[in-house]
Amino acid sequence: GQPSNHRLPLERSSEDVDIIFTRLKEVKAFEKFHPNLLHQICLCGYYENLEKGITLFRQGDIGTNWYAVLAGSLDVKVSETSSHQDAVTICTLGIGTAFGESILDNTPRHATIVTRESSELLRIEQKDFKALWEKYRQYMAGLLAPPYGVMETGSNNDSKWKLGTFCIEKFVTPLIEPHVPLRPANTITKVPSEKILRAGKILRNAILSRAPHMIRDRKYHLKTYRQCCVGTELVDWMLQQTPCVHSRTQAVGMWQVLVEDGVLNHVDQEHHFQDKYLFYRFLDDEHEDAPLPTEEEKKECDEELQDTLLLLSQMGPDAHMRMILRKPPGQRTVDDLEIIYEELLHIKALSHLSTTVKRELAGVLIFESHAKGGTVLFNQGEEGTSWYIILKGSVNVVIYGKGVVCTLHEGDDFGKLALVNDAPRAASIVDKEDFNRILRDVEANTVRLKEHDQDVLVLEKVPAGNRASNQGNSQPQQKYTVMSGTPEKILEHFLETIRLEPALNEATESVLNDFVMMHCVFMPNTQLCPALMAQYPFVPSQGTEQEKMDYALNNKRRVIRLVLQWAAMYGDVLQEDDVAMAFLEEFYVSVSDDARMIAALKEQLPELEKTLLLFLFPQHKVLLQQFNTGDERSQKRQPIRGSDEVLFKVYCMDHTYTTIRVPVAASVKEVLSAVADKLGSGEGLIIVKMSSGGEKVVLKPNDVSVFTTLTINGRLFACPREQFDSLTPLPEQEGPTVGTVGTFELMSSKDLAYQMTIYDWELFNCVHELELIYHTFGRHHFKKTTANLDLFLRRFNEIQFWVVTEICLCSQPSKRVQLLKKFIKIAAHCKEYKNLNSFFAIVMGLSNVAVSRLALTWEKLPSKFKKFYAEFESLMDPSRNHRAYRLTVAKLDPPLIPFMPLLIKDMTFTHEGNKTFIDSLVNFEKMRMIANTARTVRYCRSQPFNPDAAQANKNHQDVRSYVRQLNVIDNQRTLSQMSHRLEPRRP
């Protein structure tokens, strides 16, 4: 049961190496490593898990290891004296960075490296690293920092955004080789790549074959322009050629790719492609008497056109972004700023900044592109004027006399020193005037409410937008949004700003939604309910009697409005909360009493009464059997509630078991108590989660709802602590030994995808938005279950392993090829049904190393299916924060089933990048961002899922049963071993 990367190199099997290889391929530091080199690293690397504050080595030490950061972060500290106490942190190394190349020639370490937090590292010993260098020098030369590698700053065109921000950390002695002045940021590639040259030729030939009138001599203002196209016509033509181009903006980005590389040129050499009556000329037409395409070239063009358009559609968004950033800030349109802002939301270096600051920065960003080879951005000791974020490529950090201390990668930032304090060169950006203006504007638009000289509410003035412009002039042009505050003051603010006019119901609900969804994080019901009860009868102390009565009445109506929206959001969840139910009853009595005296409240009473009646008659508890997600209940699937009970098997060391009956949301402490009652004694028992691969985790007493967090074939064990090391998985956890290809090869791919989508929709529809909040912040903080979300996420893994299991259990090569075709077809139909969760699960199953390594099988796959799979993989491209996937989803209308693991990642990114409390005030900007992501689920379900009538009328009980009861192997080691038996490693 020892993890593969903990084993000594000599003890590692080929399956161990495959598992490590799969993990390292996902790490940024290794993404450019040649597969042969990466394979050797898997053979000799060691895994290190270090606590916070551990010193790896000190400045001046002679090194013995090279490191890469897999998780966590480390501080780089440099001292100008011989004393380590004088060391100052100059930067932080994050996931994907690597360091320690000085072991190649035994030069002293240039800096001290200390773990900033709990971190995971890959370590390679000096002798092994030197051997790798000798054997793979040609692969490593461009990957290591100078002087060992080629003197370069990263990729051929390292791209950076330049902007101003707060001074977060100081680089005491800055960075980066000999100085040359920066050139203007609007230079375009001088030598086009072969790939883009070919794309330009294909498009030109396609136009000449299909619409030859588009390329002709044009006259404008008495001047003739030879062999030109018009920008608007090029966009129109692009939209007609392929369904993968959905908008004129997307087509503009695709043509911009060619303009950047000089394969398509504006006649006056402008660098921005525009959807206007402007003239553009293909590179081939720059020459006199450029030849028309031959018949052979026309045939090639027809064969390659769709692949070319797919390539440009993938490259277009980045080119469009660069085009916008090359524009002077004053020339950027509202749409341009929105595109930049959307990109800023996914930059880790900006995750702590408010929405307003990000929108301000969108107007002042400057794009720079630097070729590899040692371009200097600034010199040590110069005054700072800019801050940089690396969009693509990498940058070496060099200190005079000490050499390269680290390499920064995509998403990292540097130079955050001198904008605020005018310290000598450590870096900064947008022009300092822009930066100071942003700070001034933000502060000028900030309103601070103080009590006892302490901030209790911070508001920020933002444009109100144009959505309510048809309401006449009554709507303010500016509105105030909550940035932070105490829970009570945030509640008071929202109550005061509720608009009671019927025409503004939608706007009010939108404003309240963030508070209603997120209050559980900072103001639980035990605090919210008394506060609402206290707010309801509030009467101001000043004003005339009539003014006081009017205010008190409107205040009551606002509180009722908020309570109704709160109850609607929580739904059945409130039935499990005694405090909430007691409050609703008390609140209803108070409103009923007032309604007898105040006619204006009578209209709200029926809705409140209806809400209360729903909760006063709770549903019966459901008894669940082992969380069998594929049960055959004919009635509509109901969401699992924390109070529902589960019959669950808990195993002992000898593989006997006892069946317990506990609530779904039971804590480990309660599970232990139930086990002890059955066993007769529970003294010294622990509860252990055991995976099929033998990985064991001791659960903490306060962990809740542990049943649904098990892996697909995982089991719960109870044993005395001293027996922990002796626990072994059950034989049944290994999974099937025979595949089911004989069963499902007779089922149509469309039927399988359809039934999978119906089932996935049932699971997805049961997930409550609040479960996303509990999952993100840690459900143990709320003592709530996330059972429905857990089961939906587990379904993703189940489908993924189903693909791998079936292929690895298929011993006949010809059948395996048929299986690949089958799964690619099912994935295509899932995409057609907008079931992106299962679509990605299937594609990730096909890209699992146990399947992707089966070269002999893939070689026999017809080229048509290879092309489909390549297109599917392009949607999985994680670069630029999964931009390809996000662009695809943005074009889909509900209902749809999203790629849930990415949604979870987005919420975790926001949570971990922003503090929940700032100076003891709730960071409501963070609450708003998380709520906005969680609302994606609501949008996806905003339209009902209506099954395809033609499909629904078919009797597919066998297909329905099959997709709901998948039997899989979820042990990667076992799957890798089976894969190697099918196709042994080539010598």
Side-chain angles (χ1 to χ4, degrees):
Q2 188 183 27
S4 16
N5 49 1
H6 285 279
R7 290 196 177 93
L8 293 174
L10 292 176
E11 298 174 356
R12 292 177 191 163
S13 65
S14 56
E15 291 79 24
D16 293 336
V17 173
D18 278 344
I19 293 169
I20 303 171
F21 186 86
T22 302
R23 170 78 192 277
L24 293 189
K25 274 203 308 184
E26 299 168 357
V27 176
K28 182 164 56 178
F30 298 115
E31 62 186 11
K32 294 181 181 176
F33 278 41
H34 190 281
N36 292 350
L37 171 59
L38 193 55
H39 183 265
Q40 292 300 314
I41 288 175
C42 297
L43 289 171
C44 64
Y46 290 84
Y47 171 83
E48 300 283 353
N49 192 340
L50 304 176
E51 296 298 317
K52 176 182 177 181
I54 300 297
T55 299
L56 268 75
F57 51 75
R58 295 189 183 277
Q59 184 177 336
D61 289 352
I62 301 299
T64 56
N65 295 283
W66 178 83
Y67 298 90
V69 184
L70 304 178
S73 58
L74 303 93
D75 286 332
V76 179
K77 300 187 175 188
V78 172
S79 171
E80 295 295 334
T81 69
S82 58
S83 172
H84 296 303
Q85 281 70 35
D86 297 334
V88 181
T89 301
I90 63 165
C91 62
T92 300
L93 304 177
I95 297 170
T97 49
F99 55 95
E101 292 92 341
S102 63
I103 60 174
L104 287 173
D105 55 11
N106 290 321
T107 54
R109 298 291 198 189
H110 303 308
T112 298
I113 307 289
V114 181
T115 52
R116 185 186 183 91
E117 59 187 311
S118 179
S119 301
E120 297 176 35
L121 307 175
L122 180 83
R123 175 175 63 86
I124 299 180
E125 293 180 346
Q126 184 179 35
K127 65 179 189 325
D128 294 321
F129 194 76
K130 282 186 172 182
L132 289 175
W133 172 249
E134 291 302 322
K135 187 172 182 181
Y136 296 101
R137 186 186 298 253
Q138 73 274 27
Y139 298 144
M140 299 173 73
L143 300 168
L144 302 186
Y148 313 104
V150 177
M151 192 68 165
E152 59 179 283
T153 55
S155 67
N156 287 337
N157 283 291
D158 287 1
S159 306
K160 305 165 192 73
W161 292 354
K162 195 178 172 193
L163 63 160
T165 191
F166 306 101
C167 173
I168 301 167
E169 62 188 27
K170 295 184 178 182
F171 291 168
V172 288
T173 49
L175 322 174
I176 322 226
E177 301 100 44
H179 182 64
V180 293
L182 291 179
R183 293 172 303 188
N186 61 352
T187 54
I188 305 290
T189 306
K190 298 301 180 188
V191 180
S193 69
E194 289 296 324
K195 194 162 49 175
I196 304 304
L197 272 174
R198 182 64 182 167
K201 187 176 286 293
I202 293 296
L203 292 181
R204 175 182 177 270
N205 289 345
I207 290 173
L208 288 171
S209 300
R210 303 178 182 196
H213 64 279
M214 287 176 58
I215 301 178
R216 66 178 189 271
D217 292 350
R218 312 266 182 172
K219 283 189 177 181
Y220 187 72
H221 284 194
L222 304 179
K223 185 176 178 180
T224 300
Y225 296 88
R226 291 186 52 262
Q227 294 299 95
C228 293
C229 309
V230 173
T232 49
E233 292 180 4
L234 288 173
V235 171
D236 290 338
W237 183 84
M238 183 78 81
L239 285 165
Q240 295 165 7
Q241 302 310 308
T242 173
C244 75
V245 182
H246 302 273
S247 68
R248 301 189 74 84
T249 301
Q250 186 184 3
V252 166
M254 294 165 70
W255 287 116
Q256 179 64 26
V257 175
L258 302 185
V259 171
E260 277 193 344
D261 267 47
V263 175
L264 181 73
N265 297 298
H266 182 263
V267 291
D268 289 334
Q269 302 306 309
E270 286 190 13
H271 295 312
H272 305 153
F273 181 87
Q274 296 186 64
D275 185 9
K276 294 182 179 179
Y277 191 79
L278 297 175
F279 297 158
Y280 296 90
R281 185 183 295 122
F282 282 98
L283 185 61
D284 284 352
D285 290 318
E286 297 284 353
H287 312 291
E288 293 282 349
D289 302 321
L292 294 173
T294 64
E295 289 303 315
E296 182 64 28
E297 286 175 326
K298 287 181 181 179
K299 184 180 177 184
E300 289 176 355
C301 164
D302 289 339
E303 291 174 353
E304 296 182 38
L305 180 61
Q306 291 306 314
D307 286 345
T308 298
L309 294 172
L310 178 61
L311 169 71
L312 293 177
S313 71
Q314 292 163 3
M315 300 177 72
D318 284 355
H320 193 218
M321 174 67 67
R322 290 191 293 270
M323 180 183 79
I324 294 171
L325 291 172
R326 286 189 177 100
K327 292 182 184 178
Q331 294 179 15
R332 294 174 190 169
T333 66
V334 173
D335 289 339
D336 290 343
L337 297 179
E338 195 60 31
I339 289 170
I340 301 172
Y341 169 72
E342 287 294 326
E343 192 70 29
L344 295 184
L345 293 177
H346 305 298
I347 300 293
K348 68 180 182 181
L350 303 180
S351 62
H352 64 291
L353 298 180
S354 72
T355 298
T356 304
V357 173
K358 285 174 185 160
R359 288 196 180 278
E360 289 275 1
L361 291 175
V364 294
L365 290 165
I366 301 168
F367 177 82
E368 292 191 356
S369 179
H370 299 285
K372 68 179 181 180
T375 300
V376 176
L377 298 180
F378 50 76
N379 257 341
Q380 185 168 330
E382 294 174 352
E383 183 178 341
T385 58
S386 299
W387 172 41
Y388 295 83
I389 294 174
I390 303 173
L391 194 57
K392 280 190 178 177
S394 56
V395 172
N396 290 321
V397 178
V398 177
I399 295 179
Y400 295 154
K402 295 182 171 61
V404 176
V405 294
C406 66
T407 300
L408 304 176
H409 296 271
E410 181 178 323
D412 291 333
D413 62 313
F414 60 94
K416 298 178 279 193
L417 170 61
L419 289 179
V420 174
N421 61 6
D422 293 319
R425 181 69 263 174
S428 37
I429 209 161
V430 179
D431 170 286
K432 191 156 186 176
E433 287 184 13
D434 282 330
F435 176 71
N436 289 334
R437 177 185 60 75
I438 290 171
L439 292 184
R440 284 196 304 270
D441 287 351
V442 170
E443 196 54 41
N445 289 323
T446 300
V447 175
R448 298 177 184 275
L449 177 64
K450 293 180 181 285
E451 288 183 359
H452 308 296
D453 207 32
Q454 296 289 320
D455 287 345
V456 292
L457 186 67
V458 180
L459 306 174
E460 194 169 71
K461 185 164 65 176
V462 296
N466 298 321
R467 292 182 183 179
S469 59
N470 57 0
Q471 296 293 326
N473 296 324
S474 60
Q475 285 298 95
Q477 297 303 304
Q478 303 284 330
K479 66 177 181 179
Y480 286 92
T481 182
V482 178
M483 301 304 294
S484 60
T486 63
E488 295 77 13
K489 290 300 176 186
I490 292 174
L491 172 61
E492 286 177 23
H493 171 78
F494 282 119
L495 284 172
E496 288 172 3
T497 54
I498 289 176
R499 305 295 296 271
L500 295 170
E501 301 95 314
L504 298 174
N505 279 0
E506 188 177 333
T508 292
E509 286 184 14
S510 174
V511 168
L512 285 182
N513 192 267
D514 297 334
F515 176 84
V516 168
M517 185 185 292
M518 300 301 301
H519 79 82
C520 58
V521 175
F522 57 88
M523 195 179 195
N525 286 337
T526 51
Q527 191 178 348
L528 175 67
C529 292
L532 287 170
M533 209 64 233
Q535 283 288 333
Y536 179 72
F538 177 75
V539 178
S541 57
Q542 297 178 339
T544 64
E545 285 304 311
Q546 186 60 44
E547 287 172 339
K548 289 180 182 179
M549 286 177 61
D550 289 345
Y551 184 92
L553 171 59
N554 285 331
N555 182 68
K556 289 177 189 289
R557 292 176 67 196
R558 290 189 186 102
V559 174
I560 294 170
R561 183 71 179 278
L562 191 149
V563 168
L564 287 171
Q565 191 164 339
W566 168 73
M569 162 65 73
Y570 275 74
D572 292 345
V573 176
L574 289 181
Q575 291 180 340
E576 300 173 357
D577 190 323
D578 294 338
V579 171
M581 292 305 298
F583 159 72
L584 278 174
E585 292 184 42
E586 183 184 355
F587 185 71
Y588 175 72
V589 170
S590 296
V591 176
S592 297
D593 291 344
D594 286 343
R596 295 191 190 100
M597 309 286 292
I598 307 170
L601 294 183
K602 286 182 179 178
E603 63 189 52
Q604 288 178 294
L605 191 62
E607 194 176 350
L608 187 63
E609 196 170 58
K610 181 181 176 184
T611 300
L612 187 62
L613 285 172
L614 286 174
F615 296 141
L616 286 178
F617 298 100
Q619 301 171 15
H620 294 294
K621 290 180 181 178
V622 175
L623 182 62
L624 302 160
Q625 306 279 342
Q626 285 288 120
F627 287 105
N628 179 7
T629 58
D631 58 40
E632 287 300 301
R633 291 179 297 178
S634 58
Q635 68 268 34
K636 182 183 176 184
R637 171 178 286 276
Q638 296 297 322
I640 298 169
R641 298 175 303 163
S643 59
D644 290 342
E645 294 185 324
V646 59
L647 282 174
F648 211 85
K649 293 176 181 178
V650 179
Y651 294 85
C652 300
M653 191 182 75
D654 60 0
H655 292 181
T656 59
Y657 65 86
T658 181
T659 303
I660 61 171
R661 178 171 177 165
V662 290
V664 170
S667 66
V668 169
K669 190 174 180 181
E670 292 170 299
V671 172
L672 275 170
S673 176
V675 170
D677 286 346
K678 285 294 189 80
L679 296 180
S681 171
E683 192 172 338
L685 285 182
I686 56 174
I687 297 293
V688 179
K689 204 159 56 168
M690 170 85 77
S691 75
S692 59
E695 290 85 9
K696 296 171 282 190
V697 177
V698 178
L699 299 177
K700 298 173 184 173
N702 65 340
D703 286 344
V704 296
S705 189
V706 295
F707 311 106
T708 52
T709 61
L710 292 172
T711 54
I712 301 165
N713 293 334
R715 299 290 185 270
L716 281 187
F717 282 73
C719 69
R721 188 170 292 276
E722 59 271 16
Q723 291 182 2
F724 173 78
D725 291 334
S726 303
L727 291 179
T728 56
L730 305 171
E732 69 186 53
Q733 288 183 254
E734 293 177 6
T737 55
V738 179
T740 60
V741 62
T743 301
F744 83 91
E745 72 176 347
L746 302 175
M747 303 171 181
S748 89
S749 301
K750 190 166 188 175
D751 292 346
L752 284 162
Y754 176 71
Q755 290 297 333
M756 287 168 69
T757 301
I758 288 180
Y759 182 42
D760 290 354
W761 182 262
E762 289 176 14
L763 293 172
F764 176 51
N765 214 30
C766 288
V767 177
H768 199 292
E769 290 168 33
L770 289 170
E771 291 186 66
L772 296 166
I773 311 300
Y774 301 151
H775 185 281
T776 301
F777 286 86
R779 59 186 165 199
H780 57 281
H781 293 305
F782 307 94
K783 300 291 186 281
K784 300 287 186 182
T785 183
T786 56
N788 301 289
L789 176 60
D790 295 338
L791 291 180
F792 186 52
L793 291 171
R794 190 158 82 182
R795 174 64 173 176
F796 180 88
N797 293 332
E798 186 175 65
I799 293 173
Q800 191 178 166
F801 280 117
W802 168 57
V803 172
V804 187
T805 299
E806 291 297 337
I807 291 173
C808 287
L809 284 173
C810 183
S811 57
Q812 291 179 262
S814 59
K815 285 274 189 185
R816 282 202 302 278
V817 174
Q818 293 304 312
L819 270 177
L820 287 181
K821 291 167 63 176
K822 186 85 169 178
F823 284 125
I824 290 170
K825 284 181 183 177
I826 295 171
H829 288 303
C830 283
K831 185 166 175 273
E832 178 188 334
Y833 288 126
K834 294 187 282 193
N835 181 358
L836 300 178
N837 205 57
S838 283
F839 166 76
F840 273 97
I842 293 170
V843 177
M844 289 180 75
L846 291 170
S847 64
N848 183 291
V849 69
V851 176
S852 64
R853 66 168 297 279
L854 297 172
L856 297 177
T857 306
W858 284 95
E859 283 172 7
K860 295 172 184 173
L861 187 68
S863 58
K864 179 176 79 169
F865 286 91
K866 288 179 182 176
K867 192 177 293 186
F868 278 135
Y869 180 63
E871 184 182 332
F872 294 165
E873 275 199 313
S874 71
L875 282 178
M876 286 178 53
D877 180 7
S879 67
R880 303 292 294 283
N881 197 30
H882 296 270
R883 173 186 277 276
Y885 165 77
R886 295 182 196 280
L887 286 172
T888 301
V889 173
K891 302 179 188 95
L892 298 178
D893 294 321
L896 64 104
I897 305 176
F899 178 28
M900 188 58 84
L902 184 58
L903 198 69
I904 296 292
K905 177 189 168 188
D906 286 345
M907 296 183 71
T908 303
F909 176 87
T910 303
H911 172 49
E912 294 180 350
N914 299 272
K915 293 181 179 178
T916 302
F917 294 93
I918 299 173
D919 298 329
S920 301
L921 300 179
V922 177
N923 179 4
F924 201 76
E925 176 72 3
K926 170 179 176 175
M927 303 299 126
R928 189 178 293 109
M929 288 190 289
I930 289 179
N932 193 46
T933 305
R935 270 193 294 274
T936 303
V937 168
R938 189 181 308 176
Y939 171 76
C940 293
R941 301 189 298 213
S942 59
Q943 295 295 325
F945 174 69
N946 296 315
D948 184 321
Q951 293 288 119
N953 291 334
K954 295 181 181 179
N955 182 13
H956 283 316
Q957 188 59 38
D958 54 340
V959 183
R960 181 181 185 276
S961 300
Y962 178 81
V963 301
R964 290 167 185 252
Q965 298 180 12
L966 302 177
N967 197 7
V968 306
I969 299 168
D970 68 348
N971 183 347
Q972 185 65 48
R973 182 187 304 283
T974 301
L975 292 167
S976 290
Q977 289 171 344
M978 293 163 64
S979 173
H980 278 84
R981 284 197 290 270
L982 293 174
E983 291 186 21
R985 188 187 304 280
R986 295 176 180 177

